[in-house]
Amino acid sequence: MTVHRITRLVFWLDGIVVSQNSEHLIKLGMAGVFDALINHFELRLVSSYPSMQLAAVISKNSLSKWFDDRAVYSLPMQIVDHRAMLQMLIVADVIDPGRSLWIDHDPIRTMLAVRQGIDASIFVDAERLYRDLVLWGIISVDK
């Protein structure tokens, strides 16, 4: 990955940005990651939640601070075929191969993204994501 060409970071909502439990609270440390990125990169959010639930999760966690309405992509239906989903995100200009970094906790989706020419990162937790972003030169150490 050549980090100097990355202009957009695309986050999977469930399990990355918010917890996967019924509370759907923003994950510890993610606000700091978004704060470090927001002034330098375009941030996008992808969700498989129904629109009413997605709106409630965004409101509850004040995610609109980092993701305005144009930056949130709600998948039209529950998609089982990850390849088709990634292609749909490319066609919808959510992911721009070569300029986007896909951040996901699902190893299969992440592997398929890489195979489709999408730069991708496996998410473990906010601290490791932040460390990786620093190591790749996406976030400066002084920020």
Side-chain angles (χ1 to χ4, degrees), residues 72-91:
V72 177
Y73 186 81
S74 181
L75 295 168
M77 64 191 105
Q78 186 67 6
I79 301 216
V80 178
D81 182 349
H82 298 305
R83 279 187 186 95
M85 181 204 72
L86 290 164
Q87 274 308 137
M88 181 184 305
L89 293 172
I90 291 169
V91 169

Side-chain angles (χ1 to χ4, degrees), residues 24-77:
H24 301 293
L25 296 176
I26 190 166
K27 293 192 88 168
L28 183 66
M30 287 307 292
V33 171
F34 297 144
D35 285 343
L37 294 169
I38 191 66
N39 293 320
H40 306 285
F41 296 91
E42 188 181 342
L43 303 182
R44 298 281 178 101
L45 189 62
V46 175
S47 173
S48 61
Y49 292 169
S51 59
M52 296 282 288
Q53 182 183 11
L54 176 58
V57 169
I58 288 171
S59 176
K60 178 182 195 176
N61 293 287
S62 301
L63 296 178
S64 58
K65 176 180 178 182
W66 304 287
F67 304 97
D68 64 22
D69 289 343
R70 295 178 316 242
V72 177
Y73 186 81
S74 181
L75 295 168
M77 64 191 105

Side-chain angles (χ1 to χ4, degrees), residues 3 9 11 33 36-37 101 103 121 126 128-140:
V3 297
L9 285 84
F11 296 85
V33 171
L37 294 169
L101 177 63
I103 300 168
S121 174
R128 287 179 234 198
L129 175 61
Y130 191 90
R131 179 205 61 203
D132 289 346
L133 294 172
V134 168
L135 289 172
W136 295 330
I138 292 175
I139 296 176
S140 298

